[in-house]
């Protein structure tokens, strides 16, 4: 992402892990939670179209499924803006993201 103050910088890749409010969430969602997850999926599809998202989806972890989101953005602040704008982050329902930058990436 280019800045007006100097040469363009390479995009950064972030691994974002969405932790659900409970380990069995993927299997015990209420109708209201299913609707929230639909808005979450729509939001991520928008980020894919915009080009900031590379891939997203649920991970079949034996300890309990969680959501994977890989972002390609210009800064950690941009990555945080994406996760902060996610309907699940704003829902107050106990979801939270862990976010880690990749040191390098082959894409």
């Amino acid at each position: 992402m280019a800045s007006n103050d100097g040469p363009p910088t390479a995009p950064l890749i972030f691994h974002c892990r969405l932790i659900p409010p409970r380990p069995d969430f993927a299997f015990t969602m209420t109708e209201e939670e299913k609707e929230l997850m639909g808005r979450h999926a729509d939001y991520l599809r928008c980020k894919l179209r915009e080009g900031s998202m590379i891939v997203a989806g649920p991970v079949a972890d034996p300890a309990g499924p969680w959501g994977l989101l890989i972002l390609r953005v210009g800064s950690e602040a941009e990555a945080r803006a994406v996760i902060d704008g996610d309907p699940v982050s704003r829902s107050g329902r106990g979801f939270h993201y862990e976010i880690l930058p990749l040191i390098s990436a082959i894409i």
Side-chain angles (χ1 to χ4, degrees):
M1 312 277 155
S3 132
N4 293 334
D5 300 318
T9 59
L12 303 172
I13 308 297
F14 288 88
H15 172 276
C16 306
R17 179 178 173 170
L18 177 61
I19 308 298
R22 56 188 183 275
D24 65 348
F25 176 81
F27 310 113
T28 62
M29 281 185 269
T30 66
E31 288 305 313
E32 184 178 349
E33 289 169 332
K34 288 177 185 176
E35 189 274 329
L36 174 61
M37 294 310 290
R39 288 189 285 127
H40 163 71
D42 290 344
Y43 176 79
L44 294 180
R45 285 185 194 97
C46 178
K47 296 304 167 189
L48 180 63
R49 286 189 301 274
E50 291 174 0
S52 59
M53 187 186 92
I54 296 173
V55 67
V59 175
D61 186 331
W66 50 271
L68 173 68
L69 172 60
I70 304 293
L71 297 174
R72 178 178 25 212
V73 294
S75 67
E76 184 171 340
E78 286 183 45
R80 292 205 177 276
V82 170
I83 63 174
D84 289 347
D86 189 331
V88 296
S89 294
R90 297 176 19 226
S91 71
R93 300 241 175 228
F95 292 89
H96 71 277
Y97 273 100
E98 296 173 351
I99 180 171
L100 296 168
L102 272 66
I103 295 169
S104 66
I106 300 170
I107 53 175

